[in-house]
Amino acid sequence: TIIKNLVWKPTSTYETTRSVWDYFVDSYRSNYGRANNATDITLRGIGKEHIVTNSSWNFENTLNYSFKKGESDFNILLGNSYQKYRFTKNQIEGTGFPLELRTLDLSQMMVTTVADTYQVMRDKNYVSFFGRLTYNLKDRYIVNGVFRATGASQLAENHKWGYFPGISGAWVISNENFLSENKTISELKLRGGWGQTGNIQSLGEYSWYSLLPENAYVNENGTQNAVNYENKDLTWETTSDFDLGIDVAVINNRIKLSADVYKRITDNLLNTFPINGVNFLYNSGKLENKGLELTLNTINIEGDFTWNTNFNISFMENKILEMGVQPVNYYGYGGVNRVEVNQPLGNFYGFVVDRVNPTNGILEYKDVNGDGNITGSDRTIIGNALPDYTFGFTNNFSYKGFSLDIMFTGSEGNDIFNASRIDLEGMVNSKNQSVAVLDRWTTAGQVTDIPKAGQSNFNGISSVANSSRWVEDGSYIRLKVTTLGYDFKNPFLGLTSLKLYATGQNLVTWTKYSGFDPEVSASNNNNGTGMGIDYGTYPQVKTVIFGLKARF
């Protein structure tokens, strides 16, 4: 405290992680390690070691001044921060190890390969200045204004700084005189706000430069295999967010409901455009998200036995308003995700399956454009990865020392492109197949939805092309987490508290999806353009944890 009501708060944090990866094939026990029985012993045995370190520093200073004048409360905050991220990598690889060596010992390596021993160091730096002013009148009318300016080292010379304002307000109606004595309404508040934020999360350390990779080489025509080209206009991706909300609580806060409607527009989207096989990073495009979010909290039973419930549900619509140099683009497995203006993200694009011809067992597609031929022009939107809504439902029970917490999560209306089935049901190569192919067409007149084995084409279109055959309903309900515990009221051995508990995760899932896990990754790339694709996705595991918490 510098003077009355003026508080200076400096903070500093440092985090570091270090990972070591090593690899060793000895010189004796395998033909690979013996380099196909090479007479040159310097070729025998393979050893590698990679050491990666990630470090981050954060220094922040804030000055907070608050004062009261009459029925008005003021709070002013000013601050600045500095963040630094550093990535380093040391790598060494080589050959020529003694015959008797069975574990990696780089000191006994005869020949160093892979461009000798080298170190890579990459830095990212951020500087921010920010402020906030809050005004509260009679605990009824609240206005909050914020402003933040942030500079980032990844961006081009004249575009490093982004400026992000915001303003919000609330009216606590339940504190008005005409409601202050109301015994039914515990809280009634209207909220609203607008603000902007910036994003460069996907950008590498030197994204605006013309870069070469670590193993770049130069031939007589110049440097080859560049990473990306220079862009002196690379700048912040900016999101403008508008929100209106209401909070209602009744019966001594036993029932609380919150509702929010929002509209979010992201401009100057960060995109990558390939030029001669080299990435060009640039800003272009505009994306709109809007939706409704509801949260309901209830205290159902109080006393020795208590029961509380929380339910939340979220509805969202998404639309691409503008795109960059490519008005239509494709992402994901075989380009199944189609991105275009006035369409949502997550669209699946392909052929519509008509039937398996019972005469010859060939999978036939629909003539969507009606021209009498089946061509690439008959591809259309065959699904979308975005759900109509997502939800969570939690119940907390307690009785004396026992407690039980149960949480369900789920989504409705989203599709999944099950690309794993293309390998497992395609029957066009030597890969192992699933039991689903036992229902394949085998005899003239047979009615089935799985075509005959072998590469069967319909008007030149393969039976394993991206089509509605692989699109499935991804809706699900999952018992996400459940915890049963017991708190000992009178711990022994000098303990102040003691709790035994068991937690289960992902125990039960209800879904029509045929793959391992309907909760597949929402995106298979950094910018969300490839969505809802399951291609060998590792499922979330069922986990049971037994625990003991003790305090002395």
Side-chain angles (χ1 to χ4, degrees):
T1 302
I2 299 175
I3 59 174
K4 184 180 179 181
N5 298 330
L6 179 63
V7 177
W8 171 42
K9 184 179 179 182
T11 60
S12 177
T13 60
Y14 173 74
E15 292 184 15
T16 185
T17 60
R18 182 175 184 268
S19 61
V20 179
W21 173 84
D22 56 45
Y23 171 94
F24 182 63
V25 178
D26 68 58
S27 305
Y28 177 73
R29 290 184 295 178
S30 68
N31 186 61
Y32 180 59
R34 295 191 298 271
N36 201 26
N37 296 316
T39 56
D40 184 354
I41 62 172
T42 64
L43 299 177
R44 296 189 174 192
I46 304 165
K48 304 177 184 180
E49 184 179 74
H50 298 183
I51 302 175
V52 173
T53 304
N54 284 285
S55 302
S56 66
W57 296 263
N58 184 41
F59 304 94
E60 184 173 278
N61 287 276
T62 59
L63 281 172
N64 195 90
Y65 183 61
S66 58
F67 64 95
K68 190 169 185 177
K69 187 174 182 180
E71 294 183 302
S72 298
D73 287 321
F74 296 86
N75 184 277
I76 302 171
L77 182 140
L78 296 173
N80 80 296
S81 68
Y82 168 70
Q83 293 170 284
K84 184 181 187 72
Y85 299 91
R86 171 165 290 178
F87 167 89
T88 62
K89 180 170 75 172
N90 291 277
Q91 176 177 310
I92 185 170
E93 299 182 7
T95 60
F97 291 89
L99 291 175
E100 67 276 7
L101 192 64
R102 293 293 179 268
T103 58
L104 180 63
D105 183 353
L106 292 172
S107 66
Q108 299 193 54
M109 184 172 65
M110 300 179 192
V111 177
T112 300
T113 61
V114 188
D116 209 339
T117 306
Y118 67 93
Q119 182 184 71
V120 175
M121 181 182 294
R122 301 199 295 263
D123 284 351
K124 285 192 291 189
N125 299 280
Y126 302 94
V127 177
S128 295
F129 299 92
F130 50 89
R132 182 186 68 215
L133 172 63
T134 302
Y135 173 65
N136 185 330
L137 176 62
K138 300 180 181 180
D139 285 330
R140 301 176 192 172
Y141 317 103
I142 304 167
V143 179
N144 190 64
V146 297
F147 184 80
R148 187 179 188 96
T150 300
S153 63
Q154 302 106 296
L155 298 174
E157 197 65 37
N158 296 319
H159 297 276
K160 292 186 181 297
W161 286 89
Y163 305 95
F164 310 109
I167 187 168
S168 62
W171 178 23
V172 187
I173 304 173
S174 53
N175 286 346
E176 296 285 359
N177 292 332
F178 60 84
L179 276 181
S180 59
E181 300 299 324
N182 190 290
K183 296 183 180 180
T184 302
I185 299 176
S186 309
E187 180 186 26
L188 179 59
K189 181 195 291 185
L190 294 177
R191 300 175 279 102
W194 171 88
Q196 290 186 324
T197 55
N199 171 50
I200 52 171
Q201 191 66 35
S202 62
L203 293 185
E205 291 83 350
Y206 313 108
S207 293
W208 75 276
Y209 288 100
S210 182
L211 287 181
L212 302 178
E214 297 163 7
N215 60 343
Y217 60 89
V218 179
N219 63 17
E220 58 188 15
N221 297 319
T223 304
Q224 304 297 302
N225 67 331
V227 173
N228 56 266
Y229 290 129
E230 179 181 291
N231 180 0
K232 292 185 178 180
D233 295 319
L234 192 65
T235 188
W236 290 86
E237 180 180 285
T238 303
T239 298
S240 300
D241 216 326
F242 176 74
D243 179 276
L244 285 175
I246 184 171
D247 300 322
V248 181
V250 297
I251 316 175
N252 293 323
N253 292 312
R254 293 192 64 166
I255 302 175
K256 294 183 178 181
L257 174 68
S258 293
D260 286 86
V261 292
Y262 66 89
K263 185 175 183 179
R264 182 176 302 131
I265 294 180
T266 303
D267 205 355
N268 283 327
L269 291 164
L270 293 167
N271 286 289
T272 301
F273 183 66
I275 303 175
N276 297 325
V278 178
N279 291 331
F280 176 71
L281 290 163
Y282 70 106
N283 298 90
S284 185
K286 185 181 292 187
L287 182 69
E288 177 188 80
N289 291 291
K290 57 184 179 182
L292 168 68
E293 295 179 347
L294 300 172
T295 301
L296 177 66
N297 293 284
T298 61
I299 301 174
N300 306 314
I301 300 176
E302 290 183 301
D304 287 342
F305 175 73
T306 64
W307 173 25
N308 300 328
T309 297
N310 172 275
F311 176 75
N312 61 79
I313 189 168
S314 177
F315 304 85
M316 188 192 76
E317 293 182 2
N318 169 281
K319 186 165 69 172
I320 301 166
L321 303 179
E322 297 176 9
M323 288 186 64
V325 294
Q326 297 167 292
V328 177
N329 213 337
Y330 301 89
Y331 300 89
Y333 181 94
V336 71
N337 282 127
R338 179 180 167 107
V339 177
E340 58 184 317
V341 174
N342 293 324
Q343 288 288 331
L345 288 173
N347 274 344
F348 299 131
Y349 187 73
F351 295 96
V352 177
V353 171
D354 188 6
R355 62 170 185 165
V356 173
N357 190 314
T359 302
N360 56 22
I362 293 178
L363 185 72
E364 297 182 354
Y365 301 107
K366 288 186 178 180
D367 180 12
V368 174
N369 62 10
D371 65 356
N373 296 308
I374 304 299
T375 66
S377 299
D378 290 300
R379 290 178 298 169
T380 186
I381 304 302
I382 54 176
N384 186 273
L386 294 175
D388 296 330
Y389 58 87
T390 59
F391 63 90
F393 183 51
T394 303
N395 284 275
N396 310 109
F397 305 92
S398 66
Y399 178 70
K400 297 184 177 179
F402 291 96
S403 62
L404 176 64
D405 303 322
I406 304 173
M407 181 175 73
F408 294 90
T409 60
S411 71
E412 175 65 35
N414 60 297
D415 296 313
I416 296 175
F417 186 79
N418 192 346
S420 300
R421 286 176 53 206
I422 297 177
D423 282 346
L424 293 173
E425 298 178 23
M427 298 179 291
V428 295
N429 52 37
S430 60
K431 293 181 180 178
N432 196 16
Q433 303 291 283
S434 76
V435 294
V437 303
L438 297 176
D439 294 327
R440 69 192 183 278
W441 182 94
T442 57
T443 309
Q446 182 180 353
V447 177
T448 179
D449 59 355
I450 299 179
K452 67 180 180 180
Q455 186 72 37
S456 56
N457 294 332
F458 178 61
N459 287 25
I461 309 299
S462 170
S463 61
V464 294
N466 288 344
S467 71
S468 58
R469 179 185 177 188
W470 316 116
V471 176
E472 301 184 39
D473 182 4
S475 306
Y476 72 93
I477 299 175
R478 167 168 282 170
L479 178 55
K480 190 67 177 178
V481 181
T482 182
T483 300
L484 176 64
Y486 183 76
D487 277 299
F488 291 89
K489 297 299 181 182
N490 298 301
F492 47 87
L493 300 177
L495 299 176
T496 57
S497 66
L498 180 65
K499 181 177 182 177
L500 294 173
Y501 66 92
T503 297
Q505 300 174 347
N506 305 312
L507 296 181
V508 184
T509 303
W510 295 270
T511 183
K512 296 179 181 178
Y513 180 59
S514 67
F516 285 128
D517 191 349
E519 200 175 355
V520 297
S521 302
S523 171
N524 63 354
N525 56 18
N526 289 331
N527 58 12
T529 49
M531 305 175 66
I533 300 171
D534 183 2
Y535 185 52
T537 306
Y538 197 84
Q540 298 186 67
V541 297
K542 294 181 180 180
T543 305
V544 178
I545 302 169
F546 297 95
L548 169 67
K549 289 183 180 180
R551 181 175 296 173
F552 298 87

